[in-house]
Amino acid sequence: MIELKNVTRRFGDTVAVDSINLTIETGEVCVLVGSSGCGKSTTLRMINRLLPLSAGEILVDGEDIATMNPEQLRLNMGYVIQGTGLFPHWTVARNIAMVPRLLNWPKKRIDERVDELMTLLDLDPVTHAHKYPQQLSGGQAQRVGVARALAADPNILLMDEPFGALDAITRDNLQLEMLRIQKQVRKTTVFVTHDIDEALKLATRIAVMDQGRIVQHDTPENILRHPASDFVENLVGKQDRGLKLMSLRPVRDLMTLHVAPKQMAPGMEGIKEEDSVRLALSVMLWQDLHQVAVFNAQGQETGVITRERIIQEGV
Ligand SMILES: Nc1ncnc2c1ncn2[C@@H]1O[C@H](COP(=O)(O)OP(=O)(O)OP(=O)(O)O)[C@@H](O)[C@H]1O
């Protein structure tokens, strides 16, 4: 658990972070969102002591970080930044192995860990381990950045606009990867973005920042349903809130189950149980269908979702 208590950071006369209080529970993904200059990165950089606090305190699992050795603290906090920060003259494998090497892990254990992480991040070790960062695409480099942050299995992951420089499709893929990985490794994560859609997709709770303050801290659903101010309402978008709420809801919630799962017919199209209701509706509108088949992870057809049910249910 990470607790920020009355945390302030000034740069000269600028109050970048203004007496914020924030608790991030173990295993949760807290997304800091807000417009440029509102203090998101400064907040993140205080958590791993890259920046000192002007006032207040930050506790990790009840312990004040000011009393901890900064290097030790950072070894327990993976840090991913935009543009990756990979060392250009090191191979992918060496970049990922950076922290385990600092911790003097035996070579065999490091090699196994690099392989394991590359596989987790969907990077084929045989193809990519010996490449240099400039031989990778932006999306691949960002995956290496995430693998490096996870290498020594830290309890905490700090991510500062990690997907900000990527094209929309690559960003979307990496967001999905992140959700998948988070299910497996459950890190306490603080994620900075200025993109509200990214925040809604990834967060268990969102902290909306404005001018150095936290103006709302709540679940994505509550932020959409009950924005605390005009500022938050404008940030989430007044008009398309209905669709955004549909994005948060899995098809599983509204599908009609078959009596028993069926084998998928060849060439049959459908959507997955964990896909969003919004995607289901989009598929139906595009293909002019009134219902669409739903599949589980094993590829069995487990039910259908209908337009009528979605409209009836509302948001
Ligand atoms: N090293 C610094 N020296 C002086 N002022 C700084 C410094 N770092 C940040 N600031 C100021 O503090 C405020 C908050 O900056 P911060 O980078 O935390 O915002 P942000 O929300 O992360 O913005 P962005 O999304 O653009 O990165 C801004 O007014 C910024 O100009």
Side-chain angles (χ1 to χ4, degrees):
M1 180 164 81
I2 307 171
E3 293 164 279
L4 282 72
K5 297 188 173 179
N6 299 312
V7 169
T8 295
R9 170 69 205 197
R10 295 183 208 93
F11 294 103
D13 290 338
T14 307
V15 185
V17 174
D18 190 0
S19 195
I20 63 170
N21 287 288
L22 180 68
T23 299
I24 300 143
E25 302 290 345
T26 302
E28 108 169 289
V29 178
C30 172
V31 179
L32 304 179
V33 68
S35 39
S36 182
C38 69
K40 307 179 293 292
S41 297
T42 302
T43 302
L44 200 72
R45 291 159 64 85
M46 286 191 285
I47 297 174
N48 63 4
R49 289 190 60 186
L50 284 175
L51 281 174
L53 284 63
S54 304
E57 57 181 3
I58 299 180
L59 310 180
V60 171
D61 294 332
E63 203 179 332
D64 187 344
I65 61 165
T67 64
M68 298 181 195
N69 172 306
E71 278 76 36
Q72 276 313 114
L73 177 79
R74 280 178 217 135
L75 288 178
N76 194 29
M77 291 186 179
Y79 185 44
V80 188
I81 54 172
Q82 190 180 121
T84 73
L86 297 175
F87 294 107
H89 304 301
W90 286 6
T91 62
V92 164
R94 181 142 187 226
N95 266 289
I96 297 174
M98 185 181 78
V99 177
R101 282 168 71 128
L102 282 173
L103 293 172
N104 288 322
W105 286 17
K107 185 175 178 319
K108 184 165 177 287
R109 184 169 166 213
I110 294 179
D111 291 347
E112 284 168 4
R113 182 67 177 150
V114 168
D115 255 34
E116 182 188 4
L117 282 163
M118 291 190 69
T119 309
L120 180 71
L121 270 299
D122 207 17
L123 288 163
D124 176 21
V126 178
T127 318
H128 298 296
H130 301 291
K131 285 186 175 167
Y132 289 88
Q134 70 271 19
Q135 296 172 300
L136 302 172
S137 71
Q140 288 167 341
Q142 210 63 50
R143 283 167 200 267
V144 176
V146 176
R148 181 177 63 173
L150 291 171
D153 204 15
N155 291 328
I156 293 172
L157 203 52
L158 305 178
M159 307 182 84
D160 195 348
E161 296 256 11
F163 312 141
L166 304 174
D167 65 84
I169 294 172
T170 310
R171 188 162 64 225
D172 209 49
N173 282 336
L174 276 168
Q175 289 165 349
L176 292 176
E177 291 281 295
M178 196 181 139
L179 288 171
R180 179 180 62 80
I181 291 166
Q182 181 61 11
K183 267 193 201 148
Q184 289 182 38
V185 298
R186 280 249 164 264
K187 300 290 174 199
T188 306
T189 304
V190 190
F191 189 106
V192 163
T193 182
H194 61 268
D195 176 353
I196 185 68
D197 290 315
E198 184 164 71
L200 290 167
K201 196 187 275 184
L202 298 181
T204 49
R205 281 202 292 172
I206 295 175
V208 181
M209 292 188 72
D210 183 29
Q211 297 179 30
R213 290 173 172 262
I214 293 178
V215 293
Q216 189 166 7
H217 180 216
D218 215 328
T219 59
E221 175 154 2
N222 282 339
I223 297 256
L224 282 168
R225 286 190 193 279
H226 312 291
S229 62
D230 288 348
F231 175 81
V232 181
E233 190 169 41
N234 285 327
L235 184 78
V236 295
K238 278 185 194 174
Q239 308 261 357
D240 63 347
R241 259 188 281 173
L243 286 176
K244 283 181 173 148
L245 277 163
M246 272 190 197
S247 301
L248 299 181
R249 197 156 196 193
V251 161
R252 186 181 293 112
D253 280 6
L254 294 188
M255 66 189 279
T256 309
L257 286 169
H258 293 324
V259 180
K262 300 178 187 175
Q263 276 317 307
M264 189 162 103
M268 175 87 177
E269 282 202 45
I271 53 170
K272 299 194 280 296
E273 290 177 351
E274 67 269 23
D275 282 334
S276 71
V277 170
R278 177 179 175 153
L279 182 78
L281 187 61
S282 173
V283 167
M284 284 185 261
L285 291 173
W286 184 249
Q287 298 185 13
D288 197 19
L289 301 169
H290 283 271
Q291 64 177 49
V292 64
V294 182
F295 297 99
N296 64 13
Q298 290 73 45
Q300 296 164 309
E301 185 186 325
T302 49
V304 294
I305 183 163
T306 65
R307 267 198 218 196
E308 285 66 27
R309 178 79 200 275
I310 296 173
I311 304 298
Q312 227 171 40
E313 199 75 19
V315 289

